Amino acid sequence: MLELKRLDNLDILTHEVQRLVDFYHVTLGLPFYLPYVKEEQYAALNLGNLTLYIFRSGDGEHAPRRTTVNADNLPGFDSISFEVADLDAAEAALDGKVVWVNERMEWKHQNGTWYRNRPFFDPDGNMLYLTEPHRV
């Protein structure tokens, strides 16, 4: 019987590893999980409950930027959401350092759970979210 335990890692492929390392490590403040050696063309960053790997990719174009409207996007993985305790403070800390996708959004479920979100792009155009969850 298959027994999945947890999400272990997430990989991002890029033409410019250092540019994404600067963004995720310096701008977002994620610590390294493994020692970073620039010449190895990969990085492993600690997200607490999983490891974010950034790997050098081959030739080709990056997939088009996604929007916050799911029906407008091609199938596939959509985004990464970072939980924050205070969305206002997190937005203020990143203002001027990231490209925001659009304004803050709220989503509410009928059971009373709701989220405040703010989407932004990394330098390669991958969509990320700051999310302030309010769980019932």
Side-chain angles (χ1 to χ4, degrees):
M1 175 180 215
L2 178 64
E3 188 176 329
L4 301 177
K5 294 183 178 186
R6 66 179 191 87
L7 186 60
D8 180 75
N9 66 75
L10 172 70
D11 301 345
I12 298 178
L13 303 179
T14 183
H15 294 302
E16 297 182 46
V17 170
Q18 188 61 53
R19 180 174 69 168
L20 289 190
V21 166
D22 290 344
F23 181 77
Y24 286 93
H25 178 65
V26 178
T27 303
L28 298 185
L30 298 175
F32 289 111
Y33 175 70
L34 300 172
Y36 175 59
V37 179
K38 182 178 180 177
E39 295 74 29
E40 293 180 355
Q41 291 294 303
Y42 83 92
L45 297 141
N46 186 347
L47 278 98
N49 58 340
L50 71 100
T51 304
L52 173 65
Y53 283 93
I54 300 170
F55 292 106
R56 169 94 170 73
S57 69
D59 294 333
E61 292 187 37
H62 192 281
R65 283 187 171 183
R66 299 182 82 75
T67 73
T68 58
V69 180
N70 290 338
D72 292 347
N73 293 309
L74 296 171
F77 287 101
D78 184 66
S79 59
I80 303 170
S81 293
F82 296 101
E83 181 176 330
V84 296
D86 182 341
L87 182 60
D88 298 321
E91 282 179 310
L94 290 179
D95 208 21
K97 298 177 183 176
V98 300
V99 175
W100 299 109
V101 176
N102 56 17
E103 296 301 315
R104 183 181 301 154
M105 304 169 358
E106 276 193 15
W107 180 83
K108 296 181 181 183
H109 188 269
Q110 62 191 18
N111 79 345
T113 298
W114 63 284
Y115 296 85
R116 294 174 65 216
N117 301 292
R118 183 77 190 269
F120 61 104
F121 291 116
D122 76 6
D124 276 7
N126 299 304
M127 192 164 59
L128 311 168
Y129 282 85
L130 299 173
T131 186
E132 179 189 296
H134 297 270
R135 296 177 181 97
V136 175

